[in-house]
Amino acid sequence: MSTPHYPLTEVPAAAAPRIAEVSRNTAETKIRVRVNLDGTGVSRLSTGIGFFDHMLDQIARHGLIDLDIEAEGDLHIDGHHTVEDVGITLGQAFAKAVGDKKGIRRYGHAYVPLDEALSRVVIDFSGRPQLEMDVPFKSGMIGAFDTQLTHEFFQGFVNHALVTLHIDNLKGENAHHQAETVFKAFARALRAAIEFDPRALGVIPSTKGTL
């Protein structure tokens, strides 16, 4: 059977909206995440960590993903549990929204600069969780955000979205710029990977027949 072909702007008519909502409640955090993978970049964010909200907004705006995140965490201790659990819950929401992955491009990559900083992110919706991250932050804190938690966020996302993710900050002297290029490149790579491929709609992008 031949693969159907569609105009470049067309999405399969029978495709269900790629929207998912997930809640995760523990003794340390209460998280609610809602995503629309085919959105316009609208976000409503409340994690209690201003810089983290700013980075999540980059995912929404540059990924064209509608993102609604409410988080209550034990910030009187530190931001670790909140940031990690948002990553976990966001990963669960992505896994639910993307479904069986029929018709998506699967792979995405992006380079994003910000002044002196430059980052590269490559993602594969492979079904196999793997994070490789090399970001030598020049500062331990950006506002109230501990830069070490960037890894915890992405590790949580990777483990539950079931993706392979490579993140490299190639240049950078300002930690804010380093982080922002990472999150913007992640957003652009996500956007490319979850887009429908007009030449392979309805087809799972794997020789295995499953992802």
Side-chain angles (χ1 to χ4, degrees):
M1 181 181 295
S2 62
T3 301
H5 293 269
Y6 299 84
L8 287 174
T9 57
E10 189 170 339
V11 172
R18 296 189 298 174
I19 297 171
E21 185 168 335
V22 175
S23 295
R24 186 175 191 271
N25 298 321
T26 73
E28 298 167 338
T29 62
K30 294 181 180 179
I31 314 288
R32 185 187 67 82
V33 171
R34 185 180 188 274
V35 298
N36 177 359
L37 303 188
D38 304 299
T40 59
V42 175
S43 66
R44 190 169 70 88
L45 308 164
S46 178
T47 68
I49 306 172
F51 184 76
F52 187 39
D53 285 350
H54 181 46
M55 294 300 97
L56 294 171
D57 190 37
Q58 306 305 321
I59 296 175
R61 288 175 182 266
H62 293 279
L64 291 182
I65 297 160
D66 291 348
L67 192 56
D68 188 343
I69 297 177
E70 295 177 1
E72 296 179 17
D74 50 3
L75 296 180
H76 62 286
I77 298 174
D78 66 9
H80 190 288
H81 299 142
T82 297
V83 173
E84 180 180 27
D85 287 3
V86 167
I88 289 170
T89 312
L90 183 62
Q92 291 172 336
F94 260 80
K96 185 176 179 181
V98 80
D100 62 11
K101 306 172 191 173
K102 284 183 179 179
I104 67 167
R105 295 187 184 276
R106 173 179 169 178
Y107 302 101
H109 72 275
Y111 287 81
V112 170
L114 175 55
D115 296 344
E116 88 297 342
L118 174 66
S119 292
R120 175 186 63 213
V121 174
V122 184
I123 193 167
D124 174 12
F125 275 76
S126 59
R128 299 184 303 278
Q130 179 73 35
L131 174 64
E132 296 293 332
M133 180 173 166
D134 184 8
V135 182
F137 281 111
K138 301 298 184 179
S139 175
M141 298 294 293
I142 307 171
F145 181 78
D146 182 347
T147 56
Q148 293 183 91
L149 299 184
T150 307
H151 185 279
E152 302 307 315
F153 168 77
F154 285 115
Q155 188 68 72
F157 178 85
V158 161
N159 287 347
H160 293 270
L162 301 178
V163 300
T164 299
L165 182 63
H166 287 252
I167 301 173
D168 293 282
N169 174 237
L170 305 176
K171 295 181 180 180
E173 295 299 325
N174 180 288
H176 187 130
H177 294 172
Q178 289 176 290
E180 192 159 330
T181 58
V182 163
F183 276 86
K184 285 179 176 177
F186 174 64
R188 287 282 175 166
L190 273 178
R191 178 177 168 182
I194 63 177
E195 282 182 344
F196 287 111
D197 184 342
R199 296 179 63 193
L201 294 175
V203 176
I204 293 176
S206 171
T207 55
K208 298 181 181 69
T210 185
L211 285 170

